[in-house]
Amino acid sequence: MGLGDITRAGVLAAIAECQRLGRETFRRRYGFGRALTYVLVVDGDSYDSKAVAGVAHLYSAGTLLSADVFSGGARTVAHRLRALGFIVENESTAADHPQQAEPQILLQPRGGARLRGAQNFAKSVRQGIRIPDIQDALGDQATTLNALYPDGIARLWGATPTTQTNNEKVRALRDRRVGDDVYFYTANHFFARARILHLFTSSPVARRVWGADEHDATWEHVMALGDVEEFPTPVLAEPVLRRLNVTAPLWSLTLRSSESYRSVLPLLPAKSRPVVPSPPVPPSATPASDQLTAQGLLERLGSLHTHRRPGSEAPSRHQPLSLLWAISRISADRPRLTPWALFRAEVRPLLAEFGLPVSKVTPEYPFWHLRGSGLWEVHGVERNVGTAPGTGILDANQPVAGLTHTSAELLRDPLIRLQAVIKLCSTYFDGVDQRELLDRVGLAGYATADGLVDGAEDADGQERAAATERATGPAARRTRTSSQLVRDPAIATRVKALHGHACQICETRLQYKRRPYSEAAHIRGLGAPHDGPDELPNLLCLCPNHHVLFDGLEIYVDVDGIVRNTHGGESMGRLRQHNGHHVDEAHLEYHRTLCDLNRMAHS
């Protein structure tokens, strides 16, 4: 794959995304620098040619072309863009400006209750520290901080020193730099980020701002932060950490290179464009997709403008099927936009198998008409082609289409994604075998609470397979390479010890080979599509029987802590709690929602 795979529609989609994000944020999100030689000019606006071409390849062929893989350099990129009918000009003045170093990514644990992590973040980052209140402790840093924060409010965060010589924290403290991006972490999620404006070391400042810990150490390695952004929906950290080769959960200040940062940018929220004062915009002029909330997303999914044949009350399933397919792409971390040829190849069989028996198999219908939902966009076909472009026009232009950026970002949240799947299934697929539907559309993991572990069997499955081979004699062998999620055995051991190996549902204490036996059950599965965290609040201590029923979505814990049967709702008693084991209600809510889907699939 290369520049020859880029289509005009892919370029238009990349330009639209750049317009929404802004040039700088667009470049940083996909790991590109500013154009030094050639710029793409569209309607009088300039765009960075390599950045646009790289993202255009993502939407044309499914993979991002990074800045260092372009063969032939900027001239070849310019040639390809011109061949597609775009204007590319020489940026004669750009070479006079030195290119800034790309930011690295600094992973910063916030700290829990013992370290007053939440309180410290609220105090010194969210609210900020009044510079006059720490003026006497600043010394020669006063001039710098006053220049950085004209409003007199400094946003500060710090780290304690370490006696180690070459661990992650030592390297991070040594190699971080002004301009790097800091991502704040807690409970297996990233919840905020900020840019480093200044670095300094000062024990007096740290003691004034945060005090000291039980060892009389203070957070003396200080970062002055700018552009602090708290995410509306925390970002699951495990996929990011895995790609950065960092063990989860994150315990230490950790730094990764600019190149590594580029590799995880698609997993992280895009930065908001700078707020520029402007005249008030009438509500009708504001793009509806930019105002979209999770509730609004679900409402739109439940009120699609679907076609109904004369004399039939059943809505067409073309649009809902296409949306389920699009949601599966988000769950699998695939590009949100796809070319027409790929859409037709993958969606057409779904329409034939799960569409209404009397409906024609016309993938061009949802590809175009889903725009009316406000959740979908199409690039590469003129809007004056009539009510809908025919397959001839689509084949000739190869437009790209898919979920809008805003709706795709919302659907990256596992609970919102699950709620969206339930909304579509309950509204449009009455009488359909929904387990088979979800399996065919690429969402098979929703059939159980433990999900799919990176497409591989779990350890129990491998043991069962080995036992079968031993029982049935020699069999043909095959070599397979797979990846598996790494669980923390210490957390599982801890939850079992806290409950004395007694099941939290039935109180059973099993003995196996003269030892107590129980199982640690994840409430929200670690594997796709659930992406649950491997942490104590996401675990229950269960006996094998209730572990199977819980993972199989046959039982759930209601909002009052009562364990109930999914089919019928009969009570099985209250879930036993322990003061040292806080169970996160958000994970229980996710599991209950999964059970709702399981109940629908069997109704």
Side-chain angles (χ1 to χ4, degrees):
M1 289 190 176
L3 290 173
D5 298 303
I6 296 173
T7 64
R8 181 176 176 83
V11 175
L12 293 173
I15 290 171
E17 186 164 350
C18 185
Q19 289 173 336
R20 197 192 69 82
L21 298 176
R23 279 181 70 176
E24 180 181 357
T25 301
F26 180 77
R27 290 196 307 263
R28 291 184 58 247
R29 179 174 178 81
Y30 292 103
F32 287 88
R34 186 170 61 84
L36 299 181
T37 308
Y38 295 102
V39 293
L40 173 65
V41 180
V42 179
D43 296 331
D45 292 326
S46 297
Y47 303 89
D48 302 279
S49 56
K50 277 192 175 182
V52 168
V55 178
H57 193 275
L58 175 68
Y59 294 142
S60 303
T63 57
L64 177 73
L65 283 185
S66 60
D68 55 354
V69 300
F70 286 109
S71 58
R75 186 181 297 276
T76 306
V77 174
H79 178 76
R80 178 57 183 165
L81 292 175
R82 286 171 178 151
L84 292 171
F86 294 98
I87 297 172
V88 181
E89 296 181 352
N90 191 295
E91 179 76 307
S92 58
T93 61
D96 298 332
H97 303 285
Q99 190 171 8
Q100 293 182 342
E102 292 186 52
Q104 304 173 105
I105 182 171
L106 184 66
L107 310 178
Q108 173 68 71
R110 186 198 64 187
R114 184 178 62 85
L115 298 176
R116 295 179 54 81
Q119 296 93 323
N120 284 338
F121 183 88
K123 173 186 176 182
S124 65
V125 177
R126 182 182 298 130
Q127 178 181 331
I129 302 297
R130 293 182 69 252
I131 295 177
D133 293 345
I134 59 173
Q135 189 81 29
D136 58 336
L138 283 172
D140 57 5
Q141 297 296 329
T143 302
T144 302
L145 291 188
N146 279 302
L148 288 175
Y149 302 104
D151 61 354
I153 304 295
R155 286 168 173 79
L156 307 176
W157 192 258
T160 56
T162 176
T163 58
Q164 301 296 316
T165 58
N166 192 30
N167 62 6
E168 287 281 11
K169 186 173 184 179
V170 169
R171 293 190 290 271
L173 290 174
R174 179 189 65 213
D175 297 334
R176 62 183 178 172
R177 63 198 181 204
V178 171
D180 289 345
D181 283 344
V182 183
Y183 282 77
F184 287 91
Y185 169 99
T186 189
N188 203 37
H189 286 77
F190 293 113
F191 67 95
R193 67 179 153 210
R195 174 66 58 86
I196 299 178
L197 301 181
H198 180 53
L199 293 166
F200 64 98
T201 301
S202 174
S203 178
V205 170
R207 289 180 182 275
R208 182 68 61 84
V209 175
W210 301 293
D213 63 19
E214 66 270 25
H215 306 294
D216 198 38
T218 189
W219 294 264
E220 60 191 59
H221 296 285
V222 183
M223 296 182 291
L225 304 174
D227 299 329
V228 177
E229 178 187 359
E230 295 190 61
F231 305 140
T233 301
V235 178
L236 187 70
E238 195 277 332
V240 178
L241 297 177
R242 179 165 15 113
R243 190 170 294 186
L244 292 174
N245 196 27
V246 177
T247 302
L250 180 70
W251 293 111
S252 172
L253 187 70
T254 301
L255 182 71
R256 288 294 183 264
S257 68
S258 302
E259 182 180 1
S260 296
Y261 190 11
R262 289 197 302 269
S263 73
V264 298
L265 278 170
L267 303 179
L268 299 167
K271 278 211 168 187
S272 303
R273 301 178 74 169
V275 178
V276 179
S278 59
V281 179
S284 60
T286 303
S289 61
D290 289 343
Q291 299 178 344
L292 191 65
T293 63
Q295 184 59 39
L297 171 74
L298 297 176
E299 290 174 355
R300 293 184 189 196
L301 291 175
S303 57
L304 297 172
H305 299 297
T306 53
H307 174 71
R308 282 178 168 79
R309 294 178 63 88
S312 173
E313 293 297 322
S316 167
R317 295 172 182 163
H318 284 48
Q319 292 190 35
L321 280 167
S322 300
L323 286 169
L324 282 174
W325 170 82
I327 291 171
S328 76
R329 292 181 62 83
I330 300 300
S331 176
D333 195 26
R334 299 172 69 190
R336 64 183 177 91
L337 300 178
T338 55
W340 157 245
L342 178 62
F343 179 92
R344 177 179 56 189
E346 295 191 1
V347 173
R348 184 182 181 87
L350 297 175
L351 301 181
E353 185 173 354
F354 295 101
L356 293 175
V358 294
S359 295
K360 295 181 179 180
V361 179
T362 51
E364 65 272 18
Y365 176 86
F367 184 87
W368 179 258
H369 285 292
L370 268 170
R371 294 177 309 129
S373 67
L375 307 174
W376 193 264
E377 58 187 57
V378 180
H379 301 277
V381 179
E382 298 296 331
R383 292 181 179 272
N384 59 0
V385 295
T387 56
T391 54
I393 293 177
L394 296 178
D395 290 342
N397 290 274
Q398 282 302 315
V400 299
L403 293 163
T404 64
H405 187 276
T406 306
S407 56
E409 287 298 308
L410 286 170
L411 287 164
R412 294 189 194 283
D413 179 270
L415 179 57
I416 296 174
R417 189 165 64 236
L418 172 58
Q419 291 170 334
V421 170
I422 289 178
K423 174 62 73 172
L424 288 169
C425 287
S426 62
T427 306
Y428 305 102
F429 295 102
D430 186 36
V432 175
D433 184 336
Q434 294 185 8
R435 286 207 172 196
E436 182 180 358
L437 167 63
L438 294 179
D439 179 61
R440 283 282 289 106
V441 86
L443 294 168
Y446 288 120
T448 63
D450 52 356
L452 302 174
V453 186
D454 288 351
E457 293 180 67
D458 60 18
D460 292 338
Q462 291 173 344
E463 290 178 3
R464 285 192 295 269
T468 301
E469 288 183 357
R470 288 193 297 269
T472 57
R477 300 285 178 169
R478 64 179 179 181
T479 301
R480 181 177 62 184
T481 301
S482 64
S483 62
Q484 294 183 353
L485 295 172
V486 178
R487 295 168 170 84
D488 185 350
I491 299 175
T493 300
R494 184 179 175 192
V495 74
K496 295 175 185 179
L498 283 171
H499 292 277
H501 291 275
C503 176
Q504 288 183 253
I505 293 176
C506 67
E507 302 281 351
T508 298
R509 283 183 171 86
L510 294 175
Q511 290 287 319
Y512 178 68
K513 294 184 178 180
R514 299 183 180 181
R515 287 185 173 183
Y517 179 82
S518 61
E519 297 182 353
H522 285 90
I523 303 169
R524 197 173 104 196
L526 303 187
H530 311 311
D531 297 330
D534 191 20
E535 60 186 20
L536 190 62
N538 189 35
L539 284 177
L540 295 176
C541 178
L542 300 179
C543 66
N545 284 350
H546 284 118
H547 190 175
V548 169
L549 293 175
F550 192 84
D551 277 357
L553 307 177
E554 298 295 334
I555 58 175
Y556 67 93
V557 182
D558 71 13
V559 293
D560 297 316
I562 304 300
V563 181
R564 295 188 180 278
N565 286 308
T566 298
H567 307 283
E570 297 87 357
S571 170
M572 301 175 61
R574 181 173 296 276
L575 183 75
R576 183 173 49 78
Q577 302 282 356
H578 187 284
N579 290 337
H581 176 207
H582 166 69
V583 177
D584 193 329
E585 170 59 25
H587 299 322
L588 291 174
E589 179 188 1
Y590 185 91
H591 184 268
R592 284 195 295 271
T593 310
L594 266 182
C595 290
D596 288 340
L597 181 60
N598 183 48
R599 188 184 302 111
M600 288 167 36
H602 288 87
S603 61

